[in-house]
Amino acid sequence: MRWIYHLTLRPAPAADPYAPPSLAAEGFVHGSYRDAVRESARLYFPPDADLVALQLDPRVLGDLVRVASTPRGPMPHVHGAIPAAAIRAALSLEAMEGAPDEVEEG
């Protein structure tokens, strides 16, 4: 099982549950796996955007997560608002280099 990362502008959202505009517009919240976060930032945000990557726990999100096949590989989408309990960390893009990919069971 892999951590899901959702990019958003700083400051990290404080709403519980968190429902970004894409949820209303597209029906899901965009996510990336660790190895795709920087490319997602490059593709979908201006170069000077002050971004934070929310680390989302897929165990908390459960059935809300569906993985879509895309030209860039598998991308996790969250089909519902994200409860605060699912947000484990808010990381800078620089911190993504050392961020975990696999969720450690235990």
Side-chain angles (χ1 to χ4, degrees):
M1 185 175 300
R2 297 175 77 184
W3 289 104
I4 298 168
Y5 294 93
H6 168 71
L7 289 167
T8 189
L9 296 171
R10 285 189 193 274
D16 186 11
Y18 168 56
S22 69
L23 182 57
E26 299 176 60
F28 59 87
V29 179
H30 291 270
S32 298
Y33 293 121
R34 184 192 66 198
D35 56 347
V37 169
R38 283 195 176 273
E39 182 68 3
S40 293
R42 188 188 69 76
L43 288 171
Y44 302 110
F45 292 92
D48 60 345
D50 189 11
L51 298 175
V52 62
L54 301 180
Q55 182 187 50
L56 307 178
D57 190 333
R59 299 168 296 187
V60 174
L61 296 171
D63 292 340
L64 292 176
V65 178
R66 296 186 201 130
V67 179
S69 294
T70 75
R72 293 194 305 129
M75 293 291 178
H77 295 156
V78 181
H79 290 263
I82 298 170
I87 302 172
R88 296 303 167 110
L91 305 169
S92 68
L93 290 183
E94 293 76 26
M96 288 303 303
E97 298 300 320
D101 184 39
E102 296 288 327
V103 175
E104 291 185 26
E105 298 297 323

